[in-house]
Amino acid sequence: MIREAAAWLKSRRAEWPRTAIVLGSAQASFIAALTDRQEIGYRDIPGWPVPTVQGHGGKLVTGRAAGREIIVLSGRVHLYEGRTPQEVVFGVRVLALLGLKTLILTNAAGGINPNYRPGLLVLITDHINLQGANPLIGPNDDSLGPRFPDMSRAYDAALQQTAKAAAAETGVELGEGVYAALPGPSFETPAEIRYLRTIGADLAGMSTVPETIAARHMGVRVLGLSTVTNMAAGMQAELSHGEVLATGKAAAGDLRKLIEAVLERIDD
Ligand code: HPA
């Protein structure tokens, strides 16, 4: 299926950009700012899973940001939608087949680290997979990558330095932390958040980790950026998807500035 989708996309365009960004909740303004924009609806690409969540679009966009040609995946599917881990990483694998080198994964997350605040952007330095799922479970396709991929440096060290330099240059505040991935869709309980803090998590979210694993499996380097859309359960009065979307939208300008400064500094 991924090969069919990649062949379909290749028949529409021979050369694909080597950098892609997956946009999380409420990041439509990033797309609007792209020049030379071209859009393909996920529903038109053979086998590509279409998201069902409000605030998550559903299209593959190409265009220029900071003078660089990029691919943007606007909208993703999640395990909590009842999708399989393979469906969750479908898009990342297709782009890797098209020659992707660098993947920037963004997401909305709950802040566990007490030094965070809603609206803060955080550089993901590592992750803890608590989703009870892994996209590599099952027979390994040796033509994609190894059976047992190393995850010692899942988030590329050079890209992390680039993101920090971009933050310093633009004046956008950037925290750092470990992202714990939960299956969702219910938010965590306060007890679960205390547990997550104890095991070393700074952020809680419901995405990104399967995509990072699939990308690393295929040798694509990954930069992970979270928007803290709320403090995690027990640290504020209550949680809602409405707040996640509203804070995500409010921080979208900072995220765009940071990503553009990152794009100016990477070469592939
Ligand atoms: N927990 C899990 N996922 C999230 C949260 C949260 O608090 N906020 C946004 N995504």
Side-chain angles (χ1 to χ4, degrees):
M1 231 23 203
I2 51 171
R3 289 195 168 76
E4 196 179 333
W8 188 89
L9 287 166
K10 250 198 135 46
S11 74
R12 302 190 42 128
R13 173 180 177 148
E15 283 292 315
W16 284 80
R18 307 238 173 263
T19 303
I21 304 171
V22 178
L23 291 182
S25 313
Q27 301 297 331
S29 68
F30 190 93
I31 307 271
L34 290 175
T35 56
D36 300 334
R37 193 166 78 232
Q38 297 201 321
E39 304 189 351
I40 303 173
Y42 288 164
R43 65 187 69 254
D44 296 326
I45 309 171
W48 199 295
V50 178
T52 58
V53 190
Q54 181 209 345
H56 288 263
K59 57 193 176 186
L60 183 159
V61 185
T62 55
R64 277 185 184 279
R68 173 179 295 276
E69 272 243 88
I70 57 168
I71 304 170
V72 179
L73 298 187
S74 175
R76 51 155 66 98
V77 296
H78 303 78
L79 292 172
Y80 62 70
E81 293 172 74
R83 299 303 194 145
T84 65
Q86 286 73 28
E87 288 175 307
V88 169
V89 303
F90 186 92
V92 167
R93 282 181 165 157
V94 170
L95 297 188
L97 288 177
L98 293 173
L100 195 73
K101 295 273 176 289
T102 304
L103 178 64
I104 302 177
L105 294 170
T106 73
N107 61 53
I112 298 173
N113 185 322
N115 297 321
Y116 293 171
R117 56 172 170 80
L120 180 70
L121 302 183
V122 178
L123 175 67
I124 301 176
T125 55
D126 203 348
H127 74 224
I128 301 174
N129 182 11
L130 298 171
Q131 293 193 310
N134 187 308
L136 306 184
I137 290 175
N140 187 55
D141 183 341
D142 293 331
S143 70
L144 302 186
R147 171 77 286 190
F148 301 108
D150 183 17
M151 297 294 286
S152 303
R153 290 189 191 84
Y155 300 87
D156 188 81
L159 284 175
Q160 289 187 47
Q161 290 309 319
T162 302
K164 288 187 211 178
E169 176 196 285
T170 55
V172 171
E173 190 184 351
L174 184 65
E176 283 180 42
V178 173
Y179 176 94
L182 290 301
S186 49
F187 289 115
E188 302 72 34
T189 64
E192 287 166 343
I193 292 302
R194 288 194 297 275
Y195 156 75
L196 291 172
R197 187 178 299 119
T198 303
I199 65 170
D202 298 294
L203 300 156
M206 306 173 192
S207 67
T208 301
V209 162
E211 291 135 303
T212 296
I213 293 170
R216 294 305 305 133
H217 182 233
M218 295 180 74
V220 174
R221 59 185 194 151
V222 175
L223 174 67
L225 295 171
S226 288
T227 300
V228 176
T229 54
N230 54 278
M231 293 313 287
M235 302 174 72
Q236 62 173 53
E238 58 183 24
L239 273 56
S240 75
H241 186 53
E243 183 194 12
V244 169
L245 292 181
T247 311
K249 207 167 166 185
D254 274 359
L255 184 62
R256 176 154 65 87
K257 240 197 273 179
L258 182 69
I259 291 176
E260 283 174 356
V262 168
L263 292 174
E264 274 168 20
R265 286 161 184 270
I266 58 177
D267 41 24
D268 51 18

